[in-house]
């Protein structure tokens, strides 16, 4: 052992210690073996195998091959001097001891000599040549059996067959030794056992007392315990359940009469004990508790009575036993029959059911009896005609009788000649719908923009021009961004409403000539099919060689932006604003992918929202699409309403401390303010129309902010702001309407008489108005522009007209009206008073300390404009 | 009028490719590519008759190939409907485009080899972006109603010829497609080196010279024979002659102006010269007939 082990040699070690594993080292499963470890050696530590070139294994004298001494041959012995001592060489002379060992090439065994083995040595007997030559017949028939030497010795010592070996015993001892009983559970303590033995001894003595006690018996012969070869794959000691019934024979086997019943329940010792043979279940490999798992269960191990062994068996009448012979002891056959198991009738077979053997397999070449039905797809159930109707095709005329063609075909088959079908087949009616025509018809059927006839017209023109929007009269009405959007819309619509014929039409073409099934190698005329591309005039011109204008067609074609990029060519019409977002085109061309990418999906909707800043905010998005389209109409966008609405004005003034601060007004202004943002933009866009792209930027800037707000901030945030500013001003304190719902305490003070619920409910209805108003308001606004100081009744009428949604309750309406009147009156006054811009700005600055610079700017600019317009009006 | 000097066979190479479907010079004319019916493309130096590389990977006959402008890549198309981009040095396919529904008959690079344009029997022309890893065609032109037989690409134009007797010129710069009705199947279309005229091999045993601007017929060249073969044509480096193969195994030199046959080169006996390509700058012609390619040129006198 190494020195390092000295300090802890107080414990014993066996074997060699493993080398400590380095921390970085990954321990390998395979133990590292050094080269010398990998040699197989014999017990003397010599190498056993040397490889083919070094002489095989254990080569040479004393395994010397490969060593320094080399192979040493046996010494030469001259046979001249000792001729007599000449001995033959045997193979053993050249063997090592391990070759002669158990695993060597010539293992040595200890064998009984022939003469002791019981096989007598065959003496070569000379048969005398008598009248019957050869081996005597009797000799052939009877062969003497020879005992082994041991048997002969035993015989000599007085042993008889059938006896055991050993000392002679008295009968009592013999019996005792016979009862080599197995014990289940704990061994009895010796004293107890002794007592039991004595007891049983007495019994037995009583039974065979007639035998002389002096007589000595030879012990019983030893029964060899013969191991049976295992020839099944069950677990050790397991014998499976045989098909014997528990009480009787093999079911349905021969000899099942009651007497010969080979029951598992056996009567041992003439009815004394009942034992059960066979074992159904073994014990699992992991169940350690059961110590004697291979024991055979025996009924004798159980006590059936509390008061010792009783002879009940004898009392039972034989007749009864006979009667219930299938009844276990202790059981009685029941008198009541078992409740019958409910039976269910088998299912009724279909009428046309043909039974087939279970194992019979049908060959796939066998003719099927029933027609395979087209699975799953309902469209196959439609007839061609029905499908055509669905697609809007004109129904086909019934096919003309085909007799002449058939005759010709027959002729060809008969004559075996090739007939040029091209010349013979006269051009009759087409037996198919021309794909192109059907496609055109369908495009006529699909009118995606039918709601807006002008747009539809533009769309059709767009389709005609194959993807290029032309500038014309009504096109100029539209703004740049609108045109862009429309282009995208048209593109998608064209994609969506192009039916199958459009997609497939350019992939397939009709055969110009019929297939000749008889002779597929018939000469086909050289195809000069123009596929309907060339007109008659063109063909004529080409034939005359008059190429040029006639034969030329120019079509607009739009190269993909990437193609232009790769060819280093500027894109036509400048880069489109809305590039395709997805880099990869969708592979799946399902209808859903088209629908998804249509204008009405979320993205494009948002984009549209960005572009079109009508009355934005949640209210528009809540509205159905039709409404949105209505707002999209060019009229609404081109005709920008003059922003002189009284309600709007009131919003502007709400920054200023108003003397009459009623909550109803507050809510009105809150709602109206949202409108003003939209209208402000419209106005702005009109002003900056010439600047083009810059406009859209500002729009997007504004609207992104507003969109964000409409999503993440509450509707009434604007109001809150204004309210806060008011609080700052300190002139007026009004409860924020939004918080009313949260405030659970009953209103006190000035709020005591106010019906908040009513107000709120009214407010909630209000937003629906928003979308509708801009359009409807236009007229009223114009009127109002003319006469700012009009009598308020007129305005109210218009306001009523413009009312949208459910009717306002009577009492509230009255109050509202009065409020609005007041407001409008006040407004005019306010505006007049605030005609100087400077004063406005000052107030604003005070107000907008907080944040919201953009907002303030907007307000400012709006007010400026408004005031300007007011001035103009004056 | 440039005097024609007699061209002679400079070298003959047995390609061992069963049949050579197309033979193409590379960008500077030092190497050539042969597309074989044995699914392989072979890169040769025809001047020294050396086989440089074999490109295997197509699943069927290779119908056309083109080398990139920097000679680092090869793009090829095959009857197996695929287009393969090859790396010249390693010989490995870089990308395989499977956008066509039918055998791809012709392929060309654009000027900067950033895009490949392929035409197919499925009547479509596909633009493949060679730069990015995009597997789908950038754009598909579906105007033709029959097989695209040939494609020519200039800096801003794509000329396609089709069996539907039309040729189509796509102008990327202007965004227009000009289609000319020819009246015969156009087996091969070429542009003169000045880019002003089309040279169209028609199935009626003629070659027609068209003005690109007006679409008018300028000249017709007759004399060769095309028996249902897709014969190719070429212009020489000075735009003075139109060269075309014939089903009779000859190569015809037509004078562009006078439309007279000035020279006939005999490549083989009664085996069609299906493919030929002219050296981009020098007076070399390479022709393919069965599995044999021949380089034609003026024998250098001083040697």
């Amino acid at each position: 052992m190494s020195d390092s082990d000295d300090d802890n040699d107080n414990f014993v070690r066996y074997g060699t210690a493993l080398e400590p594993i380095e921390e970085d080292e990954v321990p390998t499963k395979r133990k590292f073996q050094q080269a010398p470890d990998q040699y197989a050696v014999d017990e003397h530590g010599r190498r056993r195998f040397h490889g083919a070139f070094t002489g095989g294994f254990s080569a040479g004298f004393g395994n010397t091959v490969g060593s320094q001494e080399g192979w040493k041959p046996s010494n030469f012995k001259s046979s001249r001097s000792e001729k007599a001592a000449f001995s033959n060489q045997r193979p053993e002379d050249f063997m090592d001891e391990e070759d002669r060992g158990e695993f060597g090439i010539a293992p040595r065994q200890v064998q009984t000599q022939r003469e002791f083995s019981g096989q007598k040595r065959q003496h070569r007997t000379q048969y005398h040549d008598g009248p019957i030559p050869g081996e005597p017949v009797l000799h052939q028939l009877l062969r003497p059996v020879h005992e082994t030497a041991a048997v002969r010795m035993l015989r000599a010592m007085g042993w008889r067959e059938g006896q055991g070996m050993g000392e002679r015993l008295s009968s009592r001892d013999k019996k005792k030794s016979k009862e080599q009983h197995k014990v289940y559970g704990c061994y009895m303590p010796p004293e107890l056992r002794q007592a039991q033995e004595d007891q049983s001894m007495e019994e037995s003595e009583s039974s065979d007392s007639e035998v002389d006690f002096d007589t000595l018996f030879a012990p019983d012969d030893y029964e060899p315990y013969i191991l049976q070869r295992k020839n099944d794959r069950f677990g050790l000691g397991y014998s499976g359940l045989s098909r014997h019934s528990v009480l009787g024979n093999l079911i349905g086997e021969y000899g099942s009469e009651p007497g010969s019943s080979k029951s598992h329940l056996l009567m041992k010792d003439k009815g004394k004990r009942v034992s059960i043979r066979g074992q159904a279940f073994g014990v699992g490999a992991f169940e350690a508790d059961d110590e004697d798992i291979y024991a055979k269960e025996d009924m004798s191990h159980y006590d059936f009575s509390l008061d010792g062994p009783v002879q009940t068996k004898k009392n039972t009448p034989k007749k009864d036993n006979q009667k219930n012979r299938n009844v276990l002891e202790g059981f009685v056959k029941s008198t009541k029959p078992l409740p019958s198991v409910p039976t269910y009738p088998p299912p009724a077979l279909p009428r046309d059911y043909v039974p087939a053997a279970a194992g019979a397999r049908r060959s796939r070449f066998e003719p099927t009896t029933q027609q395979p039905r087209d699975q799953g797809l309902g469209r196959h159930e439609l007839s061609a005609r029905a499908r055509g109707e669905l697609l809007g095709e004109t129904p086909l005329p019934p096919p003309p009788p085909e007799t002449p063609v058939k005759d010709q075909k027959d002729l060809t088959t008969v004559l075996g000649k090739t007939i040029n079908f091209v010349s013979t087949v006269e051009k009759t009616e087409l037996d198919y719908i021309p794909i192109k025509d059907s496609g055109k018809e369908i495009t006529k059927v699909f009118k995606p923009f039918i709601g807006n006839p002008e747009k539809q017209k533009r769309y059709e023109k767009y389709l005609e021009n194959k993807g290029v929007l032309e500038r014309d009269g009504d096109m100029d009405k539209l703004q740049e961004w609108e045109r862009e959007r429309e282009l995208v819309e048209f593109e998608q619509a064209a994609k969506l409403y192009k039916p199958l014929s459009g997609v497939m039409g350019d992939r397939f073409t009709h055969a110009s000539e019929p297939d000749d099934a008889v002779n597929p190698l018939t000469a086909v005329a050289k195809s000069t099919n123009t596929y309907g591309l060339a007109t008659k005039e063109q063909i004529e011109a080409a034939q005359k060689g008059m190429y040029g204008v006639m034969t030329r067609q120019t079509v607009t074609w739009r190269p993909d932006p990437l193609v232009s990029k790769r060819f280093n060519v500027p894109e036509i019409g400048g880069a489109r604003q809305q590039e395709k977002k997805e880099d990869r085109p969708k592979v799946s061309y399902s209808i859903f992918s088209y629908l998804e990418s249509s204008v009405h999906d979320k993205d494009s909707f948002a984009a549209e929202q960005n572009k079109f800043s009508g009355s934005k905010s949640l209210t528009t998005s809540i509205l159905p699409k039709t409404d949105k389209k209505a707002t999209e109409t060019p009229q609404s966008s081109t005709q920008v309403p003059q922003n002189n609405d009284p309600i709007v004005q009131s919003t502007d003034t709400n920054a200023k401390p108003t003397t009459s601060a009623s909550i109803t007004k507050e809510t009105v202004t809150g709602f109206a303010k949202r409108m003003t943002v939209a209208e402000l933009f419209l106005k702005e866009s009109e002003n900056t129309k010439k600047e083009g792209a810059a406009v859209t930027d500002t729009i997007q800037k504004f609207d992104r902010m507003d969109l964000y707000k409409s999503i993440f901030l509450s509707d009434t945030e604007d109001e809150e702001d204004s309210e806060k500013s008011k609080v700052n001003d300190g002139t007026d304190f009004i409860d924020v309407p939004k918080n009313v719902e949260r405030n659970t305490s009953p209103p006190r003070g000035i709020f005591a008489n106010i019906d908040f619920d009513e107000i709120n409910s009214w407010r909630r209805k209000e937003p629906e108005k928003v979308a509708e108003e801009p359009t409807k308001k236009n007229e009223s606004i114009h009127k109002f522009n003319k006469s700012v100081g009009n009598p308020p009744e007129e305005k109210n009428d218009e306001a009523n007209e413009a009312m949208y949604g459910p009717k306002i309750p009577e009492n509230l309406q009255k109050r509202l009206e009065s409020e609005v009147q007041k407001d409008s009156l006040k407004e005019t006054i306010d505006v007049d008073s605030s005609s100087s811009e400077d004063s406005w700005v000052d107030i604003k600055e005070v107000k907008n300390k907080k944040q919201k610079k953009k907002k303030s700017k907007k307000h400012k600019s709006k007010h400026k404009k408004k005031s300007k317009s007011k001035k103009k009006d004056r | 009028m440039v005097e024609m000097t007699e061209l002679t066979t400079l070298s003959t190479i047995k390609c061992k490719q069963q049949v050579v479907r197309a033979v193409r010079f590379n960008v500077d004319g030092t190497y050539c590519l042969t597309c074989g019916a044995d699914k392989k493309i072979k890169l040769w130096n025809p001047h020294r008759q050396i086989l440089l590389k074999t490109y295997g990977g197509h699943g069927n006959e290779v119908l056309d190939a083109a080398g990139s402008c920097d000679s680092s890549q090869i793009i090829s198309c095959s009857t197996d409907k695929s287009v393969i981009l090859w790396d010249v040095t390693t010989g490995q396919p870089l990308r395989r485009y499977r956008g066509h529904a039918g055998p791809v008959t012709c392929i060309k690079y654009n000027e900067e080899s950033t895009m490949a344009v392929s035409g197919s029997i499925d009547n479509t022309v596909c633009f493949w972006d060679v730069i990015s890893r995009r597997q789908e065609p950038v754009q598909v032109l579906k105007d033709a109603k029959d097989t695209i037989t040939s494609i020519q690409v200039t800096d801003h134009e794509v000329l396609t010829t089709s069996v539907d007797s039309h040729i189509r010129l796509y102008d990327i710069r202007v965004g227009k497609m000009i289609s000319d009705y020819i009246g015969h199947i156009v087996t091969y279309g070429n542009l003169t080196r000045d880019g002003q005229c089309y040279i169209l091999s028609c199935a009626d045993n003629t070659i027609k010279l068209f003005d690109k601007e007006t679409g008018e017929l300028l000249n017709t060249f007759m004399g060769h024979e095309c028996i249902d073969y897709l014969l190719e044509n070429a212009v020489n480096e000075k735009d003075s002659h139109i060269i075309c193969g014939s089903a009779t195994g000859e190569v015809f030199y037509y004078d562009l102006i006078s439309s007279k046959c000035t020279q006939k080169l005999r490549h083989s006996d009664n085996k069609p010269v299906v493919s030929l390509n002219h050296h981009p700058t020098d007076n070399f012609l390479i022709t393919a007939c069965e599995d044999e390619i021949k380089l034609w040129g003026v024998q250098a006198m001083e040697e």
Side-chain angles (χ1 to χ4, degrees), chain A residues 86-135:
Chain A
F86 181 78
S87 63
N88 277 327
Q89 284 183 327
R90 292 176 300 142
E92 282 81 7
D93 294 341
F94 302 96
M95 284 179 184
D96 289 330
E97 59 265 39
E98 61 255 32
D99 291 338
R100 275 172 254 133
E102 199 181 350
F103 305 107
I105 47 170
R108 289 184 155 190
Q109 292 170 318
V110 178
Q111 275 184 333
T112 38
Q113 288 274 8
R114 246 280 175 71
E115 40 195 329
F116 303 116
S117 69
Q119 303 286 327
K120 261 276 164 66
R121 197 174 284 168
Q122 293 273 332
H123 291 288
R124 288 262 108 202
T125 48
Q126 289 288 327
Y127 305 113
H128 49 102
D129 300 333
I132 308 165
E135 198 182 353

Side-chain angles (χ1 to χ4, degrees), chain A residues 446-515:
Chain A
F446 286 117
K447 284 187 175 172
F449 305 104
I450 196 86
N452 185 351
E454 279 178 48
K455 200 174 184 182
Q456 175 67 31
K457 219 181 275 171
R458 279 200 299 275
Y459 175 61
E460 276 161 20
K461 211 170 268 175
Y462 165 87
L463 284 183
E464 277 172 33
N465 293 340
K466 288 193 179 174
V468 175
L469 267 180
E470 279 185 359
R471 280 171 179 264
D472 55 357
D474 54 42
M475 216 31 202
D476 289 336
K477 276 189 212 162
L478 301 180
Q479 291 179 15
E480 188 76 26
W481 56 274
E482 266 178 316
R483 236 173 278 142
E484 292 280 346
R485 186 170 53 81
E486 214 169 67
L487 194 67
V488 174
E489 229 170 88
F490 284 170
E491 237 171 59
Q492 280 167 351
K495 215 197 258 175
L496 180 58
Y497 293 114
K498 197 161 80 172
L500 261 185
S501 64
V503 180
M504 297 297 192
D506 45 5
R507 286 263 163 165
F508 296 102
T509 182
H510 292 289
S512 58
E513 288 159 26
D515 274 345

Side-chain angles (χ1 to χ4, degrees), chain A residues 168-364:
Chain A
R168 293 199 156 234
L169 304 165
S170 66
S171 67
R172 187 175 153 183
D173 288 339
K174 193 179 171 184
K175 200 158 229 174
K176 202 167 143 192
S177 68
K178 210 176 185 181
E179 283 181 6
Q180 286 288 342
H181 52 276
K182 280 181 187 169
V183 175
Y184 297 90
C186 302
Y187 235 88
M188 275 190 184
E191 58 268 26
L192 261 177
R193 200 170 55 199
Q194 197 59 48
Q196 210 177 25
E197 275 170 12
D198 291 342
Q199 200 186 352
S200 62
M201 210 66 70
E202 277 162 26
E203 274 174 31
S204 60
E205 253 171 307
S206 63
S207 59
D208 43 23
S209 53
E210 65 269 13
V211 183
D212 193 4
F213 66 94
D214 289 334
T215 322
L216 292 176
F217 296 96
D220 283 341
D221 195 8
Y222 166 73
E223 280 179 29
Y225 178 60
I226 296 160
L227 288 168
Q228 278 185 334
R229 177 181 290 227
K230 187 158 174 60
N231 52 7
D232 54 9
R233 290 177 190 174
F234 296 127
L236 266 182
Y238 174 82
S239 61
L241 268 185
S242 66
R243 291 201 295 136
H244 291 276
S245 78
V246 180
L247 303 169
N249 281 340
L250 265 181
I251 297 156
E253 209 178 65
Y254 159 77
S256 57
E257 61 224 36
S260 73
S261 77
K262 214 178 156 194
S263 171
H264 286 225
L265 294 173
L266 271 194
M267 296 297 178
K268 259 191 194 170
D269 293 350
K270 292 180 183 173
K272 255 191 179 175
R273 293 163 177 178
V274 183
S275 79
I276 298 172
R277 287 195 301 110
Q279 205 169 356
F281 304 101
V283 174
F286 300 109
E287 287 174 51
D289 323 40
D290 203 334
E291 63 265 4
D292 193 4
I293 55 168
Y294 302 120
K296 284 190 177 169
E297 197 61 21
D298 197 328
M299 278 297 188
S300 63
H301 299 307
Y302 301 100
D303 262 342
F304 289 105
S305 59
L306 294 168
D307 48 347
V310 196
Q311 276 83 8
T312 48
K313 201 80 204 290
K314 274 163 190 167
N315 299 347
T316 49
K318 260 203 169 175
K319 186 192 160 199
D320 196 39
N321 201 17
Q322 196 75 322
K323 195 179 165 188
N324 359 323
R325 58 175 182 275
N326 277 345
V327 177
L328 270 179
E329 202 179 322
F331 287 87
V332 183
K333 214 172 192 178
S334 76
T335 48
K336 265 192 224 165
L338 279 172
S340 62
V341 182
T343 55
Y344 302 99
L349 293 171
R351 203 175 290 163
D352 52 350
Y353 171 73
V354 182
R361 278 197 161 192
R362 178 181 288 166
S363 157
R364 60 186 155 145

Side-chain angles (χ1 to χ4, degrees), chain B residues 29-48:
Chain B
T30 43
Y31 308 108
C32 77
L33 291 163
T34 57
C35 309
D38 66 341
K39 312 170 190 177
K40 303 245 180 355
I41 304 157
K42 284 185 177 176
L43 176 67
W44 306 87
N45 186 332
H47 307 280
R48 296 166 61 197

